Amino acid sequence: MVAPPGQASSWRERCPDCGETVEVSASQDFFLDEVHWHVQRQCTSCEFLTVACGVGETPDELRRLILAEHGPAVLTITGEPLGSLRTMKAVRDVLGVPFSEVRRSAERLRSDGVVGTLAEMERLGSRLEDAGLEIAVATG
């Protein structure tokens, strides 16, 4: 069984049909400006097969497994001065934070960064770059 590209995770569980071992593969990636996720369960004993996939918010259980296996990715803003109009506008528009919290959010993005899965940070980074900011994403 081959998982799609991106950060993948795999595990085994019991087949709901025959009780044998089911191979489960799951992945999350960033493609066409969106986060995509995929989970496939396949039993080699009884032909049980389920496939679930989606675009956007990844199911919590899958997100936790990917973070546990691959660790978090951290996105930070680089290059642009913290108080610049471009930074403030990008943070407000992309993150959707209230005007009263823009500076605090921008400071967090410059210092500690935002943490999530690699695909989530790639998506956020793409949007911040489209708004004219330089970003860095670090993993592991």
Side-chain angles (χ1 to χ4, degrees):
M1 180 180 331
V2 177
Q7 288 187 312
S9 185
S10 62
W11 63 93
R12 296 173 188 260
E13 57 189 46
R14 291 266 177 225
C15 177
D17 285 354
C18 73
E20 292 295 320
T21 301
V22 174
E23 298 285 334
V24 183
S25 68
S27 66
Q28 183 191 52
D29 61 13
F30 175 69
F31 179 67
L32 296 175
D33 202 37
E34 291 293 340
V35 174
H36 296 251
W37 58 270
H38 173 269
V39 178
Q40 179 175 318
R41 290 172 169 83
Q42 183 172 7
C43 179
T44 56
S45 297
C46 73
E47 299 180 19
F48 170 82
L49 173 68
T50 63
V51 177
C53 58
V55 175
E57 192 170 329
T58 302
D60 288 339
E61 180 182 350
L62 174 55
R63 186 175 184 277
R64 279 192 301 275
L65 287 167
I66 288 172
L67 284 169
E69 188 165 331
H70 297 281
V74 180
L75 178 141
T76 54
I77 294 176
T78 61
E80 190 79 20
L82 180 61
S84 77
L85 181 59
R86 182 188 320 216
T87 299
M88 297 300 157
K89 182 173 178 3
V91 168
R92 188 185 77 220
D93 293 349
V94 173
L95 298 179
V97 297
F99 186 75
S100 61
E101 295 180 27
V102 169
R103 185 163 190 82
R104 184 177 19 242
S105 295
E107 288 172 353
R108 190 182 82 220
L109 277 165
R110 171 135 345 255
S111 60
D112 298 332
V114 176
V115 177
T117 66
L118 180 58
E120 292 164 348
M121 295 304 98
E122 288 174 336
R123 178 178 179 263
L124 177 58
S126 173
R127 292 182 176 183
L128 290 168
E129 286 176 329
D130 287 349
L133 298 184
E134 294 177 30
I135 59 102
V137 176
T139 58

